[in-house]
Amino acid sequence: MPVQRGDPGGQGVHRAQLRAVLAARDALRAEAGRLATEITAQRELLVAREHELRQQRDDLRTLRADLRERLTTEPRQASAPSAEPAEPGHADPIA
């Protein structure tokens, strides 16, 4: 029977390839975990920002309603005429 040298059947090559594939898989899993964490953090920031914007919208609606109420209930005061003369050919914007 002849003596075989080296790697009969190429088992060492297959094991090296398997180790490389497993290392790549582990790296991809780690990256996926990092990305999932980042996505979760960004989602939480967006939810907080959405809450802030909704609160600002509600505040603006309240202010608008208050202003409308004031405009309809308070008597209007006559504006003082402009101290500057109107430009020739233009109507006085206050009049």
Side-chain angles (χ1 to χ4, degrees), residues 27-74:
L28 288 172
R29 282 183 177 169
E31 179 69 6
R34 186 189 69 74
L35 289 172
T37 301
E38 185 176 333
I39 288 169
T40 300
Q42 290 295 323
R43 184 179 294 129
E44 290 172 0
L45 289 173
L46 285 173
V47 167
R49 182 66 178 140
E50 181 183 22
H51 177 73
E52 290 173 12
L53 290 173
R54 286 177 192 263
Q55 185 62 49
Q56 288 178 3
R57 180 197 61 198
D58 293 345
D59 292 347
L60 287 172
R61 285 180 176 168
T62 301
L63 284 172
R64 183 174 60 192
D66 290 347
L67 286 173
R68 281 185 180 157
E69 179 69 22
R70 286 177 57 192
L71 286 174
T72 57
T73 58
E74 293 179 6

Side-chain angles (χ1 to χ4, degrees), residues 13-31:
V13 172
H14 293 298
R15 286 186 182 139
Q17 289 173 338
L18 179 60
R19 281 193 298 272
V21 167
L22 294 176
R25 180 200 64 188
D26 293 342
L28 288 172
R29 282 183 177 169
E31 179 69 6

